[in-house]
Amino acid sequence: MSFLISSSPHDHSRLDTATLMRRVCYCLLPGIAMQWWFFGWGTLIQIALAVVTAYGAEALVLRLRRRRLTTLRDNSALLTALLIGIALPPLAPWWLVVIGTAFAIIVAKQLYGGLGQNLFNPAMVAYVLLLVSFPLPMTSWLPPLELQPYPLTLADSLSAVFTGFTLDGFSPHQLRELADGTTMATPLDTLKTGLTQGLTSGEILSSPVFGGLAGVGWQWVNLAYLAGGLGLLRLRLISWPIPVAMLAGLFLFSLVGFLISPDGTAGPLMHLFSGATMLGAFFIATDPVSAATTFRGRLIYGLLIGLLVYLIRTFGGFPDAIAFAVLLANMTVPMIDSLTKPQTYGASR
């Protein structure tokens, strides 16, 4: 018999890493389908580019490190690619997703030693890199298709991604202005910009980009990722403390802020069902490598992310905050785990 010692992530089930990662990818499908329905073919194009880049970059690094290419079968590169592809605007230029995905695999993952060794979530590292380096294309989200007077076909989306213009010569910036007359396409972006211009939240919510809950399209995308997240819990692929603590914390902090200043902040439902909230709570914050490991630590970790999301969205310079909040919380994991480490049985207090 041989005794094998391997690095984290460790999962208390009989699933191997490849199966676990593949099932997480399956749980992403409802949210991906909803993004395609509301935002068009661009989302699937970004995912395809990310997947090709992720496997190519991982194969290159494994070859340089003289490791077996069989590691590609663990599906970790696929999951990272999916998270990056759905996080980028559908009509972002092709080179943006290639740079981000290559950076995530080569630097944020393999440079630290590969799966189980990375200190930070690779997909979020890539997202922050792109957002800081290329803020304009990273914030060029189009409104949902039902608010766009110009329908986008698959050919239009391909042309916009690879050339910067649709077949009829429209750029993503022009498509946004045709849709709503402004350059603020996402609900969180519209809300933050309107508040800085002195408008009340009630006046801002009259914009056509807002639906009955938290934004046309976005509320359904978040509900779809919530359904996928409940699937993760049902399959026991993740544990409940992190997503529950994050969502509860975000709800509580946003409720307090809304009660204090109802005209100057967003309500709890807006925070919960807009942006990448549900995706972050179930698929990003729960990364077993970079998240806290103890039970109490996971509750603190989730609450911290919820607090950071609210603070950055309300007082920061970016409309959404999931990536920044998760990376900042990743930095605190060693301390959280150290302070919440269970006492050894029988040890004196």
Side-chain angles (χ1 to χ4, degrees):
M1 295 179 64
S2 60
F3 182 69
L4 300 178
I5 299 177
S6 61
S7 62
S8 60
H10 304 294
D11 186 73
H12 297 287
S13 71
R14 297 181 180 180
L15 298 178
D16 57 19
T17 301
T19 302
L20 188 148
M21 295 289 181
R22 183 170 63 251
R23 291 187 179 182
V24 174
C25 293
Y26 289 156
C27 290
L28 278 170
L29 293 180
I32 293 174
M34 201 61 67
Q35 282 192 228
W36 167 77
W37 179 264
F38 282 102
F39 297 99
W41 292 98
T43 296
L44 302 185
I45 296 171
Q46 299 295 340
I47 290 175
L49 288 170
V51 170
V52 172
T53 304
Y55 277 104
E58 183 126 312
L60 174 62
V61 175
L62 290 175
R63 182 67 70 180
L64 292 174
R65 296 178 62 196
R66 298 181 181 179
R67 299 291 182 89
R68 295 180 180 179
L69 294 183
T70 52
T71 308
L72 291 171
R73 300 174 185 172
D74 64 14
N75 294 320
S76 61
L78 174 61
L79 180 57
T80 298
L82 288 178
L83 292 175
I84 294 175
I86 60 184
L88 267 59
L91 299 187
W94 65 270
W95 50 265
L96 198 69
V97 67
V98 170
I99 291 174
T101 307
F103 187 87
I105 297 297
I106 296 173
V107 177
K109 179 183 177 184
Q110 290 295 340
L111 189 62
Y112 284 93
L115 180 65
Q117 305 293 333
N118 48 287
L119 300 177
F120 303 97
N121 185 293
M124 294 301 95
V125 171
Y127 183 87
V128 169
L129 168 76
L130 295 176
L131 185 60
V132 173
S133 304
F134 311 102
L136 183 58
M138 282 295 291
T139 55
S140 296
W141 279 87
L142 292 178
L145 294 178
E146 63 185 85
L147 298 180
Q148 297 181 33
Y150 180 81
L152 288 177
T153 63
L154 174 59
D156 284 319
S157 299
L158 284 168
S159 179
V161 169
F162 287 99
T163 70
F165 297 92
T166 65
L167 296 179
D168 289 337
F170 292 108
S171 68
H173 178 78
Q174 291 172 321
L175 290 173
R176 293 165 72 189
E177 290 192 332
L178 286 173
D180 58 12
T182 69
T183 57
M184 276 64 71
T186 67
L188 289 173
D189 196 6
T190 302
L191 180 66
K192 177 173 283 292
T193 303
L195 291 174
T196 59
Q197 294 174 345
L199 300 176
T200 65
S201 59
E203 294 172 333
I204 300 168
L205 292 176
S206 63
S207 170
V209 76
F210 293 95
L213 184 62
V216 175
W218 291 96
Q219 54 204 18
W220 293 107
V221 169
N222 273 274
L223 287 171
Y225 283 122
L226 172 60
L230 295 177
L232 291 178
L233 293 173
R234 178 67 178 83
L235 295 172
R236 297 185 179 181
L237 300 177
I238 63 173
S239 56
W240 63 266
I242 292 177
V244 170
M246 175 186 161
L247 295 176
L250 180 58
F251 177 85
L252 176 63
F253 298 128
S254 59
L255 177 62
V256 172
F258 185 72
L259 292 175
I260 294 174
S261 178
D263 292 331
T265 58
L269 293 181
M270 181 71 186
H271 280 286
L272 289 177
F273 294 100
S274 192
T277 301
M278 294 299 171
L279 175 66
F282 291 98
F283 294 93
I284 297 174
T286 55
D287 175 22
V289 180
S290 56
T293 58
T294 66
F295 178 80
R296 287 186 300 160
R298 288 172 177 172
L299 291 174
I300 296 172
Y301 177 79
L303 279 172
L304 178 61
I305 293 177
L307 173 61
L308 290 172
V309 168
Y310 173 72
L311 292 177
I312 296 173
R313 284 180 176 179
T314 305
F315 305 105
F318 297 95
D320 206 350
I322 296 297
F324 291 101
V326 169
L327 293 181
L328 289 172
N330 288 162
M331 296 180 185
T332 69
V333 165
M335 181 182 67
I336 292 175
D337 281 345
S338 177
L339 295 176
T340 59
K341 180 172 59 176
Q343 188 176 20
T344 304
Y345 179 76
S348 58
R349 295 183 179 273

